[in-house]
Amino acid sequence: MQPVFIQQKPAFKLNTLHILHSEAATGWGGQEIRVFQESCLLLERGHRVSIVCRPESPLWERCQTVSKPGFNAFSVSMDRVLNPSAFLKLFRIIKLARPDILHTHSSVDSWLASIIGMFLNIPIVRSRHISIPVKKFFPNHLIYSKFPKRIITSGEAISEIITGLPGMIREKVVSIPAGADMKRFDFRISGEAFRDELNLNPDQPLVGKIGVIRGWKGHDYFLEAIPEILEKFPEARFVIVGDGPGREEVQAKARAKGLGKEIFFLGYREDVPRIMAGLNGLVMASIAGEGTPQVIAQAFAMKIPVVATTIGSMPGLLGGGRSGILVEPRNGKSLAEGVVKLLRDPSWGVQLAENAYEVCRRNLTVDIMMDKTLEIYWDVLNANRT
């Protein structure tokens, strides 16, 4: 059953906002998680939030768990831009809701919501979460250069891509990396229970990869690295946490390599802090697409050393090697060497993790993320009123 609008405007302060997020993606990765997380954080700060997403999506399922005043969720089958039914339904929702700002996230919903926003004079903020290049041909670049008042990227590497589009004004683009909830991702959490779950002894090396399983996340190269790591550390074990379109293929490849007992495929898990607490190191093997992955900030908060490829914003995020180990992308050998260095010198890993924790504390918390996002919202709204 579709939720109805909460007609409780007197309960909200004059300095609160109503943000309508649109998200046409059907996955449950960093992008969709951030949309939901930011919505919940806005609600905690007393703002109103509406989310429009596809009915078959995990985001829609998550929205059904929220019962806070000031929140509404609506499902629209935003499967393609040229969908008159989706356009009309979204138009009616936005016209009735009259949010202060439309915040769009994927290509299809950005086209639909941007056209509606311009017609209704509602300012648009667009997010770009991944560092995959944007096609520059007309009219594709208009959803960045023409429609939004501001573009929020998940890292400086993505900002560079967006500012290179035709007609783009650099001042419109702002990098706001994903932040870690340091109350939830607390380095004092014990990893003992998780290691017991896997029947590991306290000294046994455990390396993890956490995130949605899809091609550009580099799981294949992680599998290539594991035999080389095992040559140096035969007792090492590995966990792959997450689900996605590539899970069955990656599991089949692991079996083909004879890695059945060395790798634990755990699927999607909610207890990520508990899992991280049991790791000796976290691997980020992506070959494309990354901005500032949430899992990196979370590992920083947990003081878990990171081995990551030089993709997207990760070199800057890891301070060129001061806050983590950087390795070559698409190179299982380089990834293995990075992990082996970490396991051979745990004290170095501790120092990297301490450096990373300070980076997180100063720059990568959810409070900092939301402060910057709200600043953008208010700037856009005030400019639209003048």
Side-chain angles (χ1 to χ4, degrees):
M1 183 175 68
Q2 281 277 37
V4 297
F5 283 100
I6 305 292
Q7 299 297 331
Q8 296 181 347
K9 289 186 179 180
F12 294 93
K13 299 177 182 178
L14 293 176
N15 62 345
T16 60
L17 295 171
H18 180 191
I19 307 299
L20 188 148
H21 284 283
S22 64
E23 177 56 89
T26 58
W28 187 247
Q31 176 170 322
E32 297 82 13
I33 292 171
R34 181 165 176 175
V35 172
F36 186 73
Q37 180 188 46
E38 289 193 4
S39 297
C40 293
L41 291 169
L42 284 168
L43 291 170
E44 288 178 7
R45 294 189 180 207
H47 300 284
R48 300 170 62 198
V49 178
S50 296
I51 294 180
V52 180
C53 56
R54 290 173 67 171
E56 69 276 21
S57 66
L59 179 56
W60 172 250
E61 294 177 4
R62 291 297 176 122
C63 287
Q64 307 314 297
T65 67
V66 181
S67 58
K68 294 183 179 181
F71 179 77
N72 290 282
F74 304 90
S75 64
V76 178
S77 296
M78 298 177 288
D79 56 342
R80 62 188 187 281
V81 173
L82 299 177
N83 184 334
S85 175
F87 180 86
L88 291 173
K89 187 173 182 180
L90 185 58
F91 183 90
R92 287 193 294 269
I93 290 170
I94 294 174
K95 185 177 181 181
L96 180 59
R98 278 288 176 177
D100 296 302
I101 287 174
L102 294 174
H103 192 157
T104 73
H105 295 271
S106 292
S107 178
V108 172
D109 65 270
S110 291
W111 276 108
L112 295 172
S114 294
I115 294 170
I116 295 168
M118 293 186 71
F119 183 81
L120 296 175
N121 193 32
I122 301 173
I124 299 146
V125 172
R126 169 72 201 265
S127 277
R128 179 71 177 180
H129 299 265
I130 56 176
S131 61
I132 295 173
V134 178
K135 296 178 181 178
K136 297 183 179 181
F137 59 77
F138 180 87
N140 188 66
H141 63 81
L142 294 180
I143 56 174
Y144 296 98
S145 62
K146 175 66 175 176
F147 300 140
K149 300 295 184 181
R150 291 287 192 282
I151 299 161
I152 297 174
T153 70
S154 295
E156 292 294 343
I158 304 176
S159 292
E160 290 301 314
I161 293 172
I162 300 302
T163 54
L165 295 175
M168 182 56 63
I169 300 171
R170 178 173 287 273
E171 288 72 24
K172 287 176 60 174
V173 184
V174 181
S175 172
I176 304 180
D181 181 349
M182 298 186 77
K183 293 178 181 177
R184 181 173 176 234
F185 289 87
D186 185 338
F187 66 86
R188 290 176 286 266
I189 294 172
S190 172
E192 183 178 349
F194 175 66
R195 294 180 71 92
D196 287 345
E197 176 186 330
L198 303 182
N199 294 316
L200 302 181
N201 66 57
D203 298 323
Q204 202 164 356
L206 182 63
V207 179
K209 186 167 183 1
I210 301 174
V212 65
I213 304 177
R214 55 167 60 106
W216 52 269
K217 290 290 187 177
H219 288 80
D220 286 354
Y221 297 98
F222 187 41
L223 294 184
E224 284 185 16
I226 288 173
E228 296 200 34
I229 299 169
L230 289 169
E231 287 183 8
K232 308 296 190 302
F233 293 90
E235 296 300 311
R237 294 296 180 264
F238 307 86
V239 292
I240 293 179
V241 183
D243 209 341
R247 181 178 174 180
E248 291 185 4
E249 181 181 354
V250 172
Q251 285 183 287
K253 289 179 177 179
R255 289 193 297 269
K257 290 178 176 288
L259 298 173
K261 71 174 184 178
E262 287 84 5
I263 305 177
F264 300 91
F265 286 86
L266 304 183
Y268 178 78
R269 297 275 292 249
E270 290 283 352
D271 57 338
V272 173
R274 174 175 168 270
I275 291 171
M276 281 189 175
L279 300 179
N280 297 97
L282 179 82
V283 163
M284 197 75 184
S286 301
I287 60 175
E290 296 294 356
T292 303
Q294 290 185 357
V295 71
I296 297 291
Q298 292 163 357
F300 282 8
M302 292 292 297
K303 295 189 179 182
I304 302 303
V306 172
V307 179
T309 54
T310 54
I311 291 294
S313 298
M314 286 193 283
L317 190 61
L318 269 62
R322 293 186 299 276
S323 304
I325 301 171
L326 290 165
V327 298
E328 295 178 13
R330 301 178 184 271
N331 190 329
K333 182 177 179 60
S334 178
L335 185 58
E337 289 173 351
V339 172
V340 167
K341 287 179 183 178
L342 177 64
L343 297 180
R344 278 179 171 166
D345 192 352
S347 62
W348 181 44
V350 169
Q351 184 58 59
L352 292 174
E354 290 290 343
N355 295 344
Y357 179 80
E358 288 304 309
V359 170
C360 184
R361 187 179 62 82
R362 293 194 304 268
N363 303 308
L364 294 173
T365 70
V366 290
D367 289 333
I368 293 170
M369 177 183 75
M370 290 312 301
D371 287 344
K372 291 181 177 179
T373 301
L374 281 164
E375 184 179 347
I376 295 298
Y377 288 159
W378 283 115
D379 285 349
V380 166
L381 190 58
N382 291 333
N384 199 60
R385 287 171 174 169
T386 58

